[in-house]
């Protein structure tokens, strides 16, 4: 039963009472009948009122229960609101704070009770207030803003990066009641983003530097190679044609020019190879050849170097089928580097070269010396470009630290591996494992 119906019933009772009273005043002779009628009317009316009252009572109880439920829900919402990990605020449309949770109060470094009634703009740094105001004005049309990044200024605290998500609270379709704000501190996210950006930037710069470096190496080597080749050509021509005409000192000088020129040419070729390998521009020229013959010929070419230092140079081949499929020129280049390094870094004893059958599909090449050895901490670095164990090595032994980097890249291109074992002062052992056929 609703209140209107109850009022209507009371009105009906009142009207009946009035009707009876009117009849009593109009015809006083029939009073006995009228009294009886009035009593009956009244008892009916009373009965109706009692029913109505009962109904009202019941409704009241239901209302009470519903009220309790609403209060419980409200409390649950309040707890969720208060203890949510993110900051929540409710403001009116002008941004005046009406409700605020614990996390938001913490972020703004001010207690909840002080926050209520304050304008949110107080916590925006001055230089961003205009943008904030404009955005606030636009909010009435937008209904929702996601992840609006802005800086917040807590009371007596440091400005921090925050993200605001705002939803409008509507009374009806076009009546805006207020705004609900979700406030998040995104300082660490921003820092991570910034770090990522700077790493990406550094990476790009490094890539660019590496690209310029290889490009420079390639251009420089080309530029140097041409005049050097003509110097070498002319000095060799002089030696061959006019050898007998020159006095011994002059011959010696021209021979020195040729030797240094060849050495320089070797370095330049190395730089060119390396820049080609770096840019994946080097292709293997694959054919079938006899590995033992190649290793023997290469070792013999270098024998005079070993003899100049009174070192032994021993070759041992232990392979049934020496035929392999690979790039013989590039393999020779790797071997020359390993054997000449072994000779270069050995003062007493000698160099031992071995060719072995590792398994059915792989062959093994080993170059072992009794030289100065390599410290353990350096073993992982020596295949890096321009790496030399002792920085005075360049002056003492020559070289620029490209040989092993090229060897490593070439061996990888051949689908093989190169490893090193060494003990300082006791010598080094370089091992190559290569597929018998690099094409399979
Ligand atoms: P380079 O010989 O031109 O300096 P490499 O790349 O061939 O360049 O070698 C890099 C460095 O590795 C050498 O400078 C040297 O320090 C070390 N190294 C290479 N081979 C040997 C070896 N057999 N014994 C000792 N050290 C070696």
């Amino acid at each position: 039963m609703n209140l209107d119906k109850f009022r209507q019933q009371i009105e009906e009772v009142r009207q009946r009472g009035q009707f009876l009273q009117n009849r009593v005043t109009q015809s006083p002779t029939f009073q006995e009948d009228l009294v009886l009628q009035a009593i009956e009317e009244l008892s009916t009316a009373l009965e109706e009122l009692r029913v109505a009252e009962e109904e009202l009572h019941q409704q009241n109880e239901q209302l009470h229960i519903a009220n309790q439920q609403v209060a419980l829900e409200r409390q649950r919402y309040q707890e969720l609101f208060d203890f949510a990990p993110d900051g929540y605020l409710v403001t009116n449309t002008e941004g005046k704070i009406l409700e605020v949770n614990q996390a938001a109060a913490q972020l703004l470094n001010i207690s909840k009770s002080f926050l209520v009634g304050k304008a949110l703009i107080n916590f925006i740094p001055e230089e961003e207030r205009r943008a904030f105001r404009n955005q606030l004005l636009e909010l009435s049309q937008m209904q929702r803003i996601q992840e609006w990044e802005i800086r917040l200024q807590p009371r007596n605290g440091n400005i921090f990066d925050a993200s605001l998500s705002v939803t409008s609270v509507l009374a009806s379709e076009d009546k805006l009641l207020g705004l609900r704000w979700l406030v998040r501190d995104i300082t660490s996210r921003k820092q991570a983003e910034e770090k990522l950006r700077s790493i990406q930037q550094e990476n790009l710069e490094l890539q660019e530097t590496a690209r310029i470096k290889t490009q420079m190496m390639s251009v420089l080597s080309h530029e140097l190679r041409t005049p050097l080749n003509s110097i070498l050509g002319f000095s060799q021509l002089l030696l061959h044609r006019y050898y007998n005409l020159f006095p011994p000192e002059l011959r010696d000088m021209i021979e020195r020019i040729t030797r240094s020129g060849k050495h320089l040419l070797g370095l330049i070729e190395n730089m060119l190879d390396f820049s080609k390998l770096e840019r994946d521009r080097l292709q293997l020229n694959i054919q079938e050849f006899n590995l033992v013959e190649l290793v023997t010929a290469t070792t013999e070419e270098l024998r005079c170097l070993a003899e100049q230092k009174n070192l032994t140079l021993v070759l041992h081949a232990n392979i049934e089928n020496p035929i392999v499929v690979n790039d013989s020129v590039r393999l020779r280049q790797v071997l020359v580097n390993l054997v000449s390094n072994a000779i270069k870094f050995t003062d007493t004893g000698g160099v031992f070269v071995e060719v072995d059958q590792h398994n059915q599909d792989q062959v093994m090449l080993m170059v072992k010396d009794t030289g100065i050895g390599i410290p353990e901490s350096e073993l992982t670095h020596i295949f890096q470009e321009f790496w030399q164990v002792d920085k005075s090595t360049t002056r003492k032994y020559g070289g620029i630290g490209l040989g092993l980097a090229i060897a490593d890249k070439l061996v990888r291109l051949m689908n093989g591996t190169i490893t090193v074992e060494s003990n300082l002062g006791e010598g080094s052992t370089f091992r190559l494992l290569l597929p018998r056929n690099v094409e399979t």
Side-chain angles (χ1 to χ4, degrees):
M1 170 178 286
N2 60 36
L3 207 58
D4 287 343
K5 202 170 158 204
F6 191 57
R7 276 202 193 112
Q8 196 185 338
Q9 275 187 340
I10 293 176
E11 181 57 26
E12 274 171 22
V13 173
R14 198 190 59 78
Q15 280 175 5
R16 274 188 231 153
Q18 184 70 45
F19 175 71
L20 281 172
Q21 196 187 356
N22 288 345
R23 287 190 60 191
V24 171
T25 37
Q26 282 164 11
S27 38
T29 40
F30 297 108
Q31 284 206 359
E32 209 170 301
D33 280 358
L34 279 174
V35 170
L36 278 176
Q37 205 183 339
I39 289 171
E40 211 183 296
E41 284 278 352
L42 269 175
S43 78
T44 319
L46 274 175
E47 179 58 25
E48 280 174 6
L49 278 178
R50 203 187 51 77
V51 172
E53 190 201 353
E54 222 166 71
E55 240 179 272
L56 260 183
H57 189 69
Q58 248 181 26
Q59 278 189 355
N60 204 23
E61 264 180 17
Q62 280 169 358
L63 201 67
H64 186 65
I65 292 170
N67 265 343
Q68 274 181 335
Q69 276 171 349
V70 168
L72 265 174
E73 285 297 312
R74 166 106 199 139
Q75 192 184 344
R76 265 185 49 202
Y77 157 77
Q78 196 63 42
E79 280 169 9
L80 280 175
F81 182 77
D82 267 344
F83 300 110
D86 294 313
Y88 283 105
L89 296 161
V90 178
T91 69
N92 67 8
T93 46
E94 280 90 49
K96 190 168 121 189
I97 299 171
L98 305 175
E99 260 186 88
V100 57
N101 76 346
Q102 201 60 41
Q106 253 167 20
L107 284 173
L108 299 175
N109 199 26
I110 180 168
S111 76
K112 273 170 59 175
S113 52
F114 278 118
L115 263 177
V116 173
K118 286 215 161 41
L120 187 55
I121 200 161
N122 287 327
F123 301 95
I124 306 290
E126 211 162 332
E127 57 279 15
E128 298 196 27
R129 283 190 189 156
R130 179 195 285 265
F132 180 81
R133 257 189 227 108
N134 291 342
Q135 189 71 277
L136 203 60
L137 283 176
E138 278 176 26
L139 256 167
S140 46
Q141 275 103 52
M142 286 168 72
Q143 295 210 351
R144 189 181 185 90
I145 299 182
Q146 289 280 47
E147 309 252 327
W148 164 18
E149 288 188 10
I150 196 164
R151 289 177 323 136
L152 288 182
Q153 164 76 76
R155 204 167 72 153
N156 303 329
N158 294 330
I159 294 179
F160 65 92
D161 288 308
S163 120
L164 303 176
S165 296
V166 197
T167 330
S168 40
V169 185
L170 298 170
S172 58
E173 225 171 75
D174 53 356
K175 173 128 182 50
L176 190 60
L177 271 186
L179 302 165
R180 235 195 308 261
W181 305 72
L182 164 66
V183 188
R184 268 192 191 140
D185 180 350
I186 52 165
T187 313
S188 32
R189 194 186 87 195
K190 277 270 168 193
Q191 280 168 350
E193 278 172 6
E194 190 47 46
K195 183 113 197 104
L196 193 72
R197 243 197 307 277
S198 76
I199 289 175
Q200 280 169 345
Q201 177 70 22
E202 267 172 37
N203 248 349
L204 284 177
E205 281 168 15
L206 275 178
Q207 277 172 16
E208 183 57 11
T209 318
R211 195 187 62 77
I212 293 174
K213 187 193 79 185
T214 29
Q215 206 176 25
M216 255 181 65
M217 265 166 79
S218 149
V219 172
L220 207 77
S221 323
H222 273 295
E223 292 299 318
L224 291 175
R225 197 162 58 160
T226 323
L228 192 63
N229 268 329
S230 65
I231 293 174
L232 267 175
F234 280 120
S235 58
Q236 275 164 340
L237 193 81
L238 280 176
L239 272 182
H240 288 143
R241 267 214 202 142
Y242 308 107
Y243 192 83
N244 294 328
L245 296 179
F246 289 143
E249 320 84 82
L250 211 56
R251 267 186 233 152
D252 191 44
M253 278 160 103
I254 299 174
E255 267 165 3
R256 268 200 217 175
I257 293 176
T258 316
R259 260 202 312 280
S260 306
K262 277 186 180 163
H263 179 68
L264 212 55
L265 192 64
L267 293 183
I268 289 169
E269 305 265 293
N270 265 354
M271 276 170 49
L272 267 177
D273 280 349
F274 184 75
S275 71
K276 268 194 218 154
L277 282 161
E278 278 272 275
R279 290 176 297 155
D280 293 324
R281 295 267 171 87
L282 196 139
Q283 283 193 333
L284 295 178
N285 184 6
I286 293 163
Q287 80 257 69
E288 200 178 86
F289 61 93
N290 185 317
L291 181 65
V292 176
E293 277 174 15
L294 177 98
V295 180
T296 313
T298 313
T299 318
E300 285 317 309
E301 276 171 44
L302 298 168
R303 183 169 296 286
C304 63
L305 283 182
E307 279 168 359
Q308 275 166 20
K309 291 181 82 178
N310 281 328
L311 299 174
T312 56
L313 178 59
V314 177
L315 167 66
H316 183 245
N318 180 22
I319 185 165
E320 252 176 53
N321 173 12
I323 305 300
V324 294
V325 178
N326 201 333
D327 183 332
S328 59
V329 175
R330 293 299 177 183
L331 189 55
R332 181 185 165 281
Q333 183 180 356
V334 174
L335 202 62
V336 166
N337 181 258
L338 294 182
V339 178
S340 50
N341 268 354
I343 297 171
K344 186 159 81 173
F345 295 106
T346 304
D347 293 325
T348 51
V351 178
F352 179 66
V353 181
E354 187 176 311
V355 188
D356 230 327
Q357 166 102 31
H358 183 68
N359 58 33
Q360 213 184 341
D361 304 317
Q362 284 177 304
V363 291
M364 196 270 293
L365 275 176
M366 185 182 80
V367 178
K368 189 178 172 153
D369 65 60
T370 55
I372 60 173
I374 300 163
E376 207 184 327
S377 59
E378 298 284 323
L379 285 176
T380 48
H381 298 297
I382 57 162
F383 294 104
Q384 287 169 17
E385 64 265 30
F386 303 113
W387 191 278
Q388 295 183 309
V389 172
D390 179 356
K391 307 303 165 227
S392 61
T393 301
T394 312
R395 261 173 285 133
K396 192 172 168 196
Y397 298 102
I400 51 169
L402 268 187
L404 285 180
I406 292 173
D408 182 50
K409 283 188 189 296
L410 281 177
V411 171
R412 278 171 204 258
L413 211 58
M414 295 169 180
N415 293 324
T417 55
I418 180 166
T419 51
V420 58
E421 278 166 38
S422 185
N423 283 318
L424 203 57
E426 291 175 19
S428 315
T429 306
F430 286 84
R431 255 190 208 90
L432 294 185
L433 272 188
L434 292 167
R436 201 172 249 294
N437 183 344
V438 295
E439 285 182 323
T440 54

